[in-house]
Amino acid sequence: MLGRKPPHKNLGDAKMRSMAFKAALAALLITAPMASAFAKEHTSDTSGSPSHETYRDFFDGGDNTGNSTSIAGHLQVHPVSYILSELRNDDARIANDRHMRRISAAQARQLTGEDAAIRRTATSDAGYGGMLSAGTYSQLQSEVSSLGSQISRDAGR
């Protein structure tokens, strides 16, 4: 036994850790370029919420002709959740601007009222499954955009 080394007790554990590390590294190396390519194609505007064009390209297959029917003749619909998400972002901007004293309490109430009116319209116009027609979605998106511009104007940005 003088020339032999004692068996390593954790040899199996070391091999297992090495294999798990290699698998995790391989997954990371494969997914990182794909994720960055996807993110580059689906950029958002400066407010942090995805733009209307991004949604239109994703759900309508890139057709931005403004027609309410797709090539297949089906009515194009948009989830109301996108409008509601943008309104939540606007709510957060209003609250932040009020907290930072960029807008007055009266301005905050007025902006919150406009936000609530758009929200009521969106939820009442959403059909079964929370979907909006292309025309309704476009109108609501325009109102949300106007509200965002008004928030920026009132906050002096």
Side-chain angles (χ1 to χ4, degrees):
M1 273 206 62
L2 293 174
R4 297 179 69 194
K5 294 182 181 178
H8 192 268
K9 290 183 181 179
N10 294 327
L11 185 60
D13 290 341
K15 284 184 180 179
M16 186 59 84
R17 281 193 301 263
S18 176
M19 186 169 42
F21 175 74
K22 288 177 184 175
L25 183 61
L28 180 66
L29 291 174
I30 290 171
T31 58
M34 289 181 196
S36 64
F38 180 80
K40 186 175 183 179
E41 290 177 7
H42 297 87
T43 57
S44 61
D45 62 10
T46 57
S47 69
S49 62
S51 69
H52 174 64
E53 293 300 321
T54 301
Y55 291 133
R56 183 191 320 224
D57 290 346
F58 181 76
F59 284 102
D60 297 345
D63 179 23
N64 59 2
T65 60
N67 296 335
S68 63
T69 57
S70 66
I71 295 172
H74 298 287
L75 182 65
Q76 293 178 357
V77 292
H78 302 275
V80 71
S81 61
Y82 295 143
I83 296 290
L84 297 178
S85 174
E86 291 183 18
L87 290 172
R88 278 191 297 276
N89 290 340
D90 286 344
D91 283 341
R93 286 179 60 199
I94 293 167
N96 185 45
D97 287 346
R98 178 66 188 125
H99 178 74
M100 300 298 291
R101 299 181 187 264
R102 292 184 187 133
I103 59 175
S104 67
Q107 288 171 317
R109 279 191 301 275
Q110 188 261 337
L111 292 168
T112 303
E114 289 180 28
D115 181 278
I118 297 169
R119 186 180 309 276
R120 276 191 304 275
T121 302
T123 55
S124 68
D125 288 354
Y128 177 74
M131 303 302 272
L132 297 166
S133 68
T136 302
Y137 181 81
S138 179
Q139 174 63 36
L140 289 170
Q141 187 64 35
S142 175
E143 291 177 21
V144 169
S145 178
S146 295
L147 177 61
S149 297
Q150 184 64 42
I151 293 169
S152 294
R153 274 192 304 276
D154 288 353
R157 291 187 215 151

